[in-house]
Amino acid sequence: MTIPHVPVIGLADCKVPERKADIVLEIGAACASSGFFQIVDHPVPQELIERAFETSVGFFALPVEEKLAFARDPWTNRGYEILERQSLQGAVVGHDELGISLETRPSNENLEMDLKEGFLIGDDKMSGDHPFFNRFAQGVNCWPDVAGMRDVMNEYYEACLKLSTDLMELVALSLDLPEKYFAPFCKDPTAAIRLLHYPPQRCNTKEPQIGAGAHTDFGALTLLATSGTPGLELWSNGKWFPIEPAHGAYVVNVGDLLQMYTDGKYLSSLHRVINRSGNDRYSIPFFLDGNLDVIVRSIYDASKSVNAVSVESHLRNRFDGTYQQPMPIEI
Ligand SMILES: O=C(O)CCC(=O)C(=O)O
Ligand SMILES: [Fe+2]
């Protein structure tokens, strides 16, 4: 059995040129083998991550009616994701253009709804006259009555945005591209913080209910913070492997768009969550999805227009496939 290569990579030495070259090589190797790696010694303060988790726990503890008042708006993609309303495994259906064939997909899951609730937050500082303001996944955030939530989440959003766009520079170098190759993709990007809460399993059935069904992430890179409770699994060589985050680490994974840029050299790998811990599990993924107007094409052959797709149309397709309630066709 081959255990997937998910290295723990320290970023502290990124400013030392010789070490930076090694880090770039390690990132490239991980993206091309499992599509996952972990980063430690990163610039996001642990204390900020902890405040983000405390705020998240505070939000999910609100009475359900209060949370429902902020139900996710399918156009802005912000707000509360109701328990058992999304089937992330739906994101795999119709996914063949990404090269995930039926034979290599896990087949033991039906399309049951995920045992999780969530809360989505996007860029909070885009002004109403910005050309993107009314576009898909843009707009106004919801701010429930949880002490300090807006400040903490905005601080956390900015920290993750900076880290993820810096990582895209390392990714560009790992592909022998200029460091700023993805700068247009990273300009005014769609990105989201997703607070997630996975309740413990309800009853002692033989098959535990899936927390997040098998899926790939839609954007370019995801930075996942966990509060230490296990549950994340990676599909590799026909099996599920648990990923155990190192303390203070971000689990970083390649999303669909980076796989498309690289013609499949970098892997947007299937993963899922099952909370078998018996306790509540909290996690906070941050998705760097990119500038809505950028057309994602092969970095190797820009003429391969057959696979070219705008960030916006890709995201809309993927979101449509996962939620019970489809988003409006147009606004
Ligand atoms: O909660 C986790 O560990 C992973 C969540 C995830 O994969 C997602 O939201 O895309
Ligand atoms: Fe994911």
Side-chain angles (χ1 to χ4, degrees), residues 181 263 295-308:
Y181 183 87
D263 277 354
I295 306 292
V296 175
R297 303 174 193 281
S298 162
I299 57 170
Y300 303 109
D301 182 358
S303 66
K304 266 195 187 166
S305 54
V306 70
N307 288 329

Side-chain angles (χ1 to χ4, degrees), residues 187-248:
K187 184 174 180 308
D188 294 333
T190 291
I193 292 177
R194 187 180 201 199
L195 308 177
L196 286 173
H197 169 220
Y198 301 86
Q201 301 290 323
R202 283 206 195 85
C203 47
N204 286 336
T205 50
K206 241 169 112 195
E207 291 296 320
Q209 189 173 352
I210 306 284
H215 68 282
T216 60
D217 289 352
F218 311 156
L221 278 186
T222 304
L223 302 182
L224 174 77
T226 72
S227 58
T229 309
L232 177 62
E233 298 177 354
L234 166 63
W235 179 253
S236 177
N237 296 313
K239 271 189 168 9
W240 287 110
F241 290 88
I243 295 194
E244 280 150 33
H247 180 69

Side-chain angles (χ1 to χ4, degrees), residues 146-158:
V146 176
M149 184 168 188
R150 187 171 191 169
D151 289 345
V152 175
M153 288 303 147
N154 285 340
E155 193 180 340
Y156 190 67
Y157 182 96
E158 292 308 321

Side-chain angles (χ1 to χ4, degrees), residues 36 88 194 212 215-217 222 232 253 269 271-272 285 287:
F36 275 70
L88 264 174
R194 187 180 201 199
H215 68 282
T216 60
D217 289 352
T222 304
L232 177 62
N253 64 285
S269 296
H271 52 286
R272 72 176 184 183
F287 303 100

